[in-house]
Amino acid sequence: LVSYRSSHLVMLENQKRWLVAGIALNKILIPQIRPFVEQSINTEYSNLKTSHNIDTQSTPGRLQRWPQVLKYENINGNDVHPKLAGGRFNYSLFDCKVNSHVDFARLYVSNHMAHFTAFDDHCDASAVLTLLGRVPVFSVAIQTAADHVREARNDWAHCVFGKWDQPNFLKSFTEMKQLVRTMALPTAGEGKLLGELKDWETKGINMLI
């Protein structure tokens, strides 16, 4: 009975830490860095319109990698076209014109993540962190930091409460704050965001009571 109560209390504490980490990630970090992500991706898209005519490109002459394979099945309704034998996409049927920076962003994410039509709440933590980790406009330092936060986000999304002990909880906040620092946000914005993350790290459990 004592062992059961002890295990139950540990699980309750882990659940609280899981909840606080989720609030900090989804309600504090992502909404405040999303505009930076959008601005940077819009810059990259504008450059590619000039250098590669990505907005008017033909399907045979499409930019295929930047630097990884771009997922044209995610835009222009291309995913509804019949597939070839073996389940391969029939690119000859695709419209590969990239008509906006939002569509450009959608080329980098998995199909189930590509349903956002603006950089709003539908462009969620998973999508934002994937973009930070894959679009080459972001530095290697940002990509690495984003990948670490994305790994923690995946653990959070799977609700494995056993992983949310105190050390892992603190580690998740360290990684979120490191991502903020690597992004070189305006000083005031960076300070405000770091302060809010610190508050949730140190006071978040009490805020739930």
Side-chain angles (χ1 to χ4, degrees), residues 84-98:
L84 300 171
R88 293 178 295 113
F89 287 111
N90 186 352
Y91 287 101
S92 68
L93 301 177
F94 278 20
D95 174 1
C96 291
K97 299 180 184 70
V98 185

Side-chain angles (χ1 to χ4, degrees), residues 61-190:
R62 71 189 182 280
L63 180 67
Q64 296 189 37
R65 303 179 68 92
W66 195 259
Q68 63 183 52
V69 174
L70 299 176
K71 299 176 182 178
Y72 288 96
E73 61 269 25
N74 289 344
I75 65 171
N76 299 331
N78 290 328
D79 59 340
V80 303
H81 292 301
K83 293 183 179 180
L84 300 171
R88 293 178 295 113
F89 287 111
N90 186 352
Y91 287 101
S92 68
L93 301 177
F94 278 20
D95 174 1
C96 291
K97 299 180 184 70
V98 185
N99 296 308
S100 70
H101 68 291
V102 175
D103 279 353
F104 176 64
R106 293 169 66 201
L107 300 179
Y108 283 88
V109 301
S110 299
N111 186 258
H112 71 274
M113 282 190 247
H115 301 298
F116 58 91
T117 57
F119 280 85
D120 54 17
D121 288 344
H122 296 287
C123 185
D124 63 9
S126 181
V128 168
L129 294 169
T130 297
L131 294 171
L132 283 169
R134 294 180 179 175
V135 183
V137 70
F138 301 112
S139 69
V140 172
I142 290 176
Q143 292 177 356
T144 300
D147 284 343
H148 290 158
V149 176
R150 185 164 57 88
E151 289 173 8
R153 180 266 165 200
N154 290 343
D155 284 341
W156 175 84
H158 291 128
C159 301
V160 183
F161 298 126
K163 291 189 175 183
W164 289 95
D165 57 16
Q166 184 70 0
N168 281 325
F169 174 78
L170 295 176
K171 180 172 178 285
S172 72
F173 275 90
T174 296
E175 291 170 345
M176 284 190 278
K177 289 184 286 186
Q178 179 59 29
L179 175 58
V180 172
R181 294 187 181 101
T182 62
M183 294 178 73
L185 302 172
T187 303
E190 178 181 304

